[in-house]
Amino acid sequence: MNNIDDEFVVVRGKDILSTSIDNETIIMDIESGCYFGLANTAQHIWTLLENPLKVKDLIDILVEKYRVQPETCKLDVKKFISQMLEEGLIVRQ
Amino acid sequence: MNFCFKAYNIEFISDFEPPCEQGYYYRSGSPDVLILNGACPNKVENVIVETDFCKISSVELLLNVENVARYYVQEGKKITVEPYPDVDIDKVRLFLYGSALGALLYQRGLFPIHGAAVNTVYGVMIFVGEQGAGKSTLAAHFQKNGYSLLSDDVCAVTRNKNGILIVLPAFAQIRLCTDALEKLGSLSCYPTARFDVDKFVVSLQDCYDMDSSPLSAVHLLSNVQDEKIHLKRMSGFDRLNLLIDNLYRPFYLTGLASMPAIMRLATTIASEVEIIEIQRPRDFSRISELIEMLEKFWAQKSNFNKKE
């Protein structure tokens, strides 16, 4: 988590299938068969990462939308990005 | 001796008698799948997963059932069976038309749900649940009430040419343990029931559906402490989870070339089909009440279109 830099550009992984069931977004790595459910903010981040986005810009968008403290938002987002990268759901460009 | 039969819309020619009388048919040209008695290799090329009992590559699977037989399933088109010496042939057939066939269905890109499929005027209703939850027993009760069944073990789901999700007809039988059979009202209800390895097998020639039919809903049978029966619609992530949890022999999917397509099919089924949890006390005497409740529920659900 410490090594997620503001300047990193991230985007959804190529082989990740995304589908909507009720109000949840389900994402699945079809090569491995692993699947995850995303709700609320996670869902929103996933929508934003349809196209490549700098981590710094992602944080700015979320701070604006959810009216939260930038520092808290930065920590949470970076933790989330780190997990998503680890699972191969998003990739660095 | 060659047996010609059809199951899951697949035409088979087999050296081994199918689980039940499926009816013979005249065939011209070659079958979809050949099942042969013969020597199996010791390994598969480009193996991806290897355990004591199973070796899997993207297109082949080698299954070893100790003291029964080895099964070599190739590219969704051929199964070679090498029985161990002095084995009870019924055991060889049990694993052939169960596990080995399951592997074949995966190789052919079908989605095999472990459950019972009942055909209704509202489409096919599949019942899933853990071992002993009462799937086969419930299916047998539906059959007694005049419904026809498509499967009592493996419900193969796929899309037809018009893009509709359908359930393919399996083997025309129900397998019931002694307990369940007794509660259904004794063997006299089923004069043709015979004991096969570990269960009673009841043939369903007259009330078995030879045609595939659209899938309407998947129902999870949950046994709970409560006195009342509840029907709860499942939502979101739980829906996909339920389908994947109730795949038949999911281990055989690992590393398969068809896995991405099958996982896509899973998400499609999860978003298009009704998924309901039936919470009920484990009491076989209330099955009639459950069937009535389900019939009312299906009738009033706006997205179950009644077949004309």
Side-chain angles (χ1 to χ4, degrees), chain B residues 138-243:
Chain B
L138 183 59
H141 274 272
F142 270 108
Q143 181 260 315
K144 263 179 143 193
N145 281 23
Y147 287 84
S148 60
L149 305 188
L150 280 123
S151 177
D152 94 317
D153 193 23
V154 181
C155 309
V157 180
T158 188
R159 280 203 187 280
N160 67 6
K161 331 194 251 306
N162 301 322
I164 298 177
L165 287 169
I166 54 172
V167 180
L168 303 173
F171 292 108
Q173 60 173 16
I174 306 184
R175 296 179 63 87
L176 297 165
C177 58
T178 334
D179 233 15
L181 196 58
E182 269 162 27
K183 283 177 174 137
L184 275 161
S186 93
L187 273 170
S188 56
C189 293
Y190 300 102
T192 59
R194 58 187 173 86
F195 196 73
D196 180 31
V197 183
D198 61 342
K199 295 226 172 126
F200 282 98
V201 178
V202 176
S203 236
L204 297 173
Q205 274 316 102
D206 296 334
C207 49
Y208 168 70
D209 232 307
M210 280 301 290
D211 296 320
S212 43
S213 208
L215 175 61
S216 282
V218 178
H219 303 72
L220 169 67
L221 280 166
S222 290
N223 297 322
V224 297
Q225 293 293 72
D226 205 337
E227 273 301 302
K228 293 177 79 176
I229 303 175
H230 299 276
L231 298 179
K232 255 180 63 177
R233 187 185 173 275
M234 293 181 87
S235 66
F237 184 77
D238 291 340
R239 296 159 66 91
L240 179 61
N241 223 13
L242 177 81
L243 291 171

Side-chain angles (χ1 to χ4, degrees), chain A residues 17 19-22 24 26 28 30-33 35-37, chain B residues 233 235-237 239-241 244 259-260 263-264 267 270-271:
Chain A
L17 178 67
T19 196
S20 191
I21 302 178
D22 297 321
E24 287 177 42
I26 314 291
M28 182 189 281
I30 52 179
E31 291 299 315
S32 70
Y35 56 99
F36 305 82
Chain B
R233 187 185 173 275
S235 66
F237 184 77
R239 296 159 66 91
L240 179 61
N241 223 13
I244 294 183
M259 181 165 92
M263 292 312 263
R264 263 185 225 276
T267 57
S271 43

Side-chain angles (χ1 to χ4, degrees), chain B residues 23-174:
Chain B
Y24 293 93
Y25 66 93
Y26 173 74
R27 57 164 188 98
S28 57
S30 43
D32 298 315
V33 173
L34 260 177
I35 301 178
L36 300 172
N37 189 338
C40 292
N42 289 322
K43 55 192 178 115
V44 303
E45 295 278 315
N46 305 313
V47 65
I48 294 175
V49 174
E50 196 159 348
T51 69
D52 286 338
F53 67 94
C54 196
K55 300 188 205 314
I56 309 178
S57 76
S58 63
V59 289
E60 296 185 334
L61 179 135
L62 189 53
L63 179 65
N64 178 26
V65 183
E66 258 331 294
N67 300 322
V68 176
R70 273 144 39 82
Y71 305 87
Y72 181 40
V73 188
Q74 295 169 267
E75 296 180 75
K77 295 194 194 129
K78 187 173 174 193
I79 304 178
T80 309
V81 184
E82 189 179 346
Y84 277 65
D86 302 322
V87 70
D88 174 1
I89 203 72
D90 285 342
K91 285 197 179 143
V92 177
R93 289 167 58 238
L94 185 69
F95 287 96
L96 168 60
Y97 293 115
S99 300
L101 184 51
L104 185 98
L105 295 179
Y106 277 123
Q107 287 174 0
R108 293 178 75 91
L110 301 174
F111 192 88
I113 298 177
H114 186 197
V118 179
N119 208 359
T120 78
V121 291
Y122 306 101
V124 179
M125 307 295 177
I126 291 181
F127 294 91
V128 300
E130 55 184 33
Q131 194 154 352
K135 309 180 282 291
S136 290
T137 310
L138 183 59
H141 274 272
F142 270 108
Q143 181 260 315
K144 263 179 143 193
N145 281 23
Y147 287 84
S148 60
L149 305 188
L150 280 123
S151 177
D152 94 317
D153 193 23
V154 181
C155 309
V157 180
T158 188
R159 280 203 187 280
N160 67 6
K161 331 194 251 306
N162 301 322
I164 298 177
L165 287 169
I166 54 172
V167 180
L168 303 173
F171 292 108
Q173 60 173 16
I174 306 184

